[in-house]
Amino acid sequence: QVQLVESGGGLVQPGGSLRLSCAASGLIFSFYTMGWYRQAPGKQRELVASITSIGSTNYADSDSVKDRFTISRDNAKNTVYLQMKSLQPEDTAVYYCNANSRPLGHDFWGRGTQVTVSS
């Protein structure tokens, strides 16, 4: 059974930082492109960043995200991270972890972790 468990969310003041983690189990982690998505209230879920099994990264087409967020992975720990800095209220959302493998036809989601940026 595949599980993706996010952690690290919470309440942070504007300008603060958070590091999200997603621990994966039940799959061969190195076979999957891992991604972070977010969904703000009343909005569609959107890609924040993704990273392939060999470490190639892709970020949302937003200078704001590219400049402030960093995705990384540790294949030995079956974990993907999202380092977020200079957080702003517009970053408030539920952040979801995703594991995707096109060759295998697999697409798995975690339950999400809430990030709230507010003073």
Side-chain angles (χ1 to χ4, degrees), residues 6 8-12 18 20 36-48 65 68-69 82 84 87-97 111-118:
E6 301 98 336
L11 174 63
V12 63
L18 283 175
L20 305 183
W36 286 99
Y37 290 72
R38 67 184 180 184
Q39 187 167 19
K43 294 188 177 181
Q44 289 189 330
R45 191 174 298 187
E46 62 177 5
L47 172 71
V48 177
V65 168
R68 299 183 297 120
F69 293 4
L82 185 68
M84 305 184 292
L87 285 162
Q88 300 302 317
E90 53 265 35
D91 296 315
T92 295
V94 179
Y95 285 71
Y96 295 92
C97 180
R111 293 187 176 183
T113 185
Q114 176 70 46
V115 172
T116 301
V117 185
S118 175

Side-chain angles (χ1 to χ4, degrees), residues 13-83:
Q13 292 186 340
S17 299
L18 283 175
R19 188 176 82 152
L20 305 183
S21 300
C22 171
S25 60
L27 51 72
I28 301 175
F29 187 73
S30 60
F31 283 8
Y32 291 79
T33 291
M34 301 300 297
W36 286 99
Y37 290 72
R38 67 184 180 184
Q39 187 167 19
K43 294 188 177 181
Q44 289 189 330
R45 191 174 298 187
E46 62 177 5
L47 172 71
V48 177
S50 64
I51 184 167
T52 68
S53 58
I54 59 171
S56 296
T57 57
N58 177 52
Y59 291 89
D61 190 17
S62 162
D63 290 339
S64 176
V65 168
K66 294 175 184 176
D67 292 342
R68 299 183 297 120
F69 293 4
T70 303
I71 190 171
S72 61
R73 66 189 291 163
D74 186 335
N75 287 342
K77 295 182 178 180
N78 285 10
T79 301
V80 61
Y81 306 96
L82 185 68
Q83 179 69 51

